[in-house]
Amino acid sequence: MNNNIKNILTSILLLSISSLVFSAGVNEDPLERRMLDIAAKLRCTVCQNQPVAESNSGLARDMRAVIKEKLEEGKDEQEIIQFFVDRYGDYVLLAPPKSGNGLIIWLLPPILLLFAFFSAIMIMKSRSGKVTPPLSQLSKEDQERIRRARNESNKLGEDE
Amino acid sequence: MTRNIWWVIIPALVLLVGLLGYGLTSNPKHIPSPLIGKTFPNLQGKDLNGVDVTLGVIDGKPTIVNVWASWCGACRAEHNVLLRGARRYGDSISLVAINYKDELPNARRWLSRLGDPYQWSFHDLSGRAGLELGVYGVPETFFVNKQGIIVEKISAPLTDEMLDDGIALMSK
């Protein structure tokens, strides 16, 4: 009995050590990281708004392979992105370029915001000097109608 | 003040309607290719029979480069257009192909069954030649003029009209 427990304990101990023996250290390939950084900036051209880094489509996989290959050749990020732009156009960039037509997209929101800000100020200024017109007085008949309606609702409340 | 506001609102509305109109009338399937106006790259590889071939201008004639695959359903409809086109235009143009990410036996069987309009098909198993040419998927077609300049790229199955238009463009 005692022997049995000993056996079980030894096997548990051995098993727990074995994981240390067989596991390999986890190494992240720095090239993979750089590849994914670039792939995150490129649009998977056959998907709906998905970056190359996240897509499982065949084309995205090919593009990742090409990025890695070019990194191994010593090309930098700018050169690799240009390679894809030359072949697929600006469409391949997830962030539109800050030049040419892309500039409109970058500049329009701040311009609109400034415009809204200044027109709000102008509208407020044009109103600030004005006197608000006095409230119109209720006619005798209307006052009478309100009084009657109040009385009626009070009565209803008492009935309940 | 209220009158001033209309000077802003009306042009803004006109602009918006104009943009919407442009969006509605432009063709969403037309993907402008940055390669149009550029020289077709000379890509070397093997055809379906293992013979060395080089993509580019073939025999000094305006050249159509069609990208196809046996696993591509839309290519089947397009195939008839190409067969008719090859018959109609005969020797005045060169028609070659890139067989994209396809297994050799499947590609060969497709051509023997449906007819082969191409002088040869460049076998691009890895899709690297396609990527070099900015190919999205199949079918796609490049129209290359005699000087080797890409004058048109269609990212859709060709119709007879599209084929005629492309050939007119590259024969200019």
Side-chain angles (χ1 to χ4, degrees), chain A residues 128-141:
Chain A
S128 66
K130 283 184 186 155
V131 184
T132 40
L135 289 172
S136 55
Q137 291 296 315
L138 284 173
S139 65
K140 278 255 167 66
E141 292 139 52

Side-chain angles (χ1 to χ4, degrees), chain A residues 45-46 58-59 62-63 65-66 69-70 83-91 115 119 122-123 126, chain B residues 1 4-5 8 31-35 38 100-101 126-128 130-137 153:
Chain A
T45 48
V46 293
L59 191 63
D62 294 348
M63 284 167 83
V66 169
E69 215 172 88
K70 294 206 177 283
F83 170 86
F84 288 105
V85 170
D86 287 344
R87 282 153 186 79
Y88 289 95
D90 286 341
Y91 178 69
F115 178 76
S119 36
M122 266 168 63
I123 289 170
S126 71
Chain B
M1 189 61 214
N4 280 349
I5 280 178
V8 178
I31 305 163
S33 171
L35 288 168
K38 299 252 173 72
Y100 186 68
K101 293 193 177 180
S126 67
R128 281 304 300 272
L131 214 142
E132 202 64 43
L133 288 163
V135 166
Y136 288 81
K153 179 194 171 201

Side-chain angles (χ1 to χ4, degrees), chain A residues 21-46:
Chain A
V21 175
F22 291 111
S23 71
V26 176
N27 265 332
E28 198 194 49
D29 184 358
L31 201 68
E32 192 81 7
R33 176 58 32 212
R34 284 179 66 201
M35 180 274 281
L36 285 175
D37 281 345
I38 296 173
K41 291 175 185 164
L42 295 172
R43 185 197 305 271
C44 162
T45 48
V46 293

Side-chain angles (χ1 to χ4, degrees), chain B:
Chain B
M1 189 61 214
T2 38
R3 220 180 298 140
N4 280 349
I5 280 178
W6 288 109
W7 284 108
V8 178
I9 290 178
I10 289 175
L13 272 178
V14 170
L15 193 72
L16 189 68
V17 170
L19 281 174
L20 287 176
Y22 174 76
L24 279 174
T25 47
S26 56
N27 181 1
K29 280 188 182 157
H30 187 258
I31 305 163
S33 171
L35 288 168
I36 290 173
K38 299 252 173 72
T39 308
F40 196 95
N42 289 323
L43 295 173
Q44 287 170 352
K46 293 204 185 301
D47 73 1
L48 300 180
N49 302 314
V51 179
D52 286 320
V53 288
T54 304
L55 282 165
V57 177
I58 312 299
D59 301 335
K61 286 187 274 189
T63 302
I64 296 174
V65 182
N66 176 243
V67 188
W68 69 280
S70 67
W71 46 263
C72 150
C75 298
R76 192 171 279 260
E78 186 188 63
H79 203 71
N80 288 324
V81 173
L82 290 168
L83 285 168
R84 271 198 298 275
R87 231 177 294 134
R88 280 190 295 139
Y89 288 96
D91 280 342
S92 63
I93 56 160
S94 297
L95 174 57
V96 296
I98 295 172
N99 177 243
Y100 186 68
K101 293 193 177 180
D102 211 348
E103 300 293 339
L104 272 180
N106 297 347
R108 288 202 195 109
R109 198 177 323 127
W110 157 288
L111 289 179
S112 64
R113 205 176 280 171
L114 298 174
D116 186 355
Y118 311 114
Q119 292 182 20
W120 40 258
S121 288
F122 182 104
H123 188 223
D124 183 23
L125 181 63
S126 67
R128 281 304 300 272
L131 214 142
E132 202 64 43
L133 288 163
V135 166
Y136 288 81
V138 276
E140 271 187 31
T141 308
F142 293 86
F143 293 92
V144 185
N145 70 12
K146 255 191 283 189
Q147 287 76 40
I149 309 290
I150 300 168
V151 293
E152 177 70 299
K153 179 194 171 201
I154 308 277
S155 305
L158 289 178
T159 60
D160 289 310
E161 293 76 34
M162 285 154 98
L163 186 70
D164 290 344
D165 290 348
I167 288 173
L169 263 179
M170 68 181 189
S171 307
K172 249 188 227 168

Side-chain angles (χ1 to χ4, degrees), chain A residues 72-89:
Chain A
E72 279 161 359
E73 285 169 18
K75 297 257 167 64
D76 67 20
E77 179 175 324
Q78 202 50 47
E79 287 172 302
I80 294 169
I81 287 178
Q82 195 56 44
F83 170 86
F84 288 105
V85 170
D86 287 344
R87 282 153 186 79
Y88 289 95

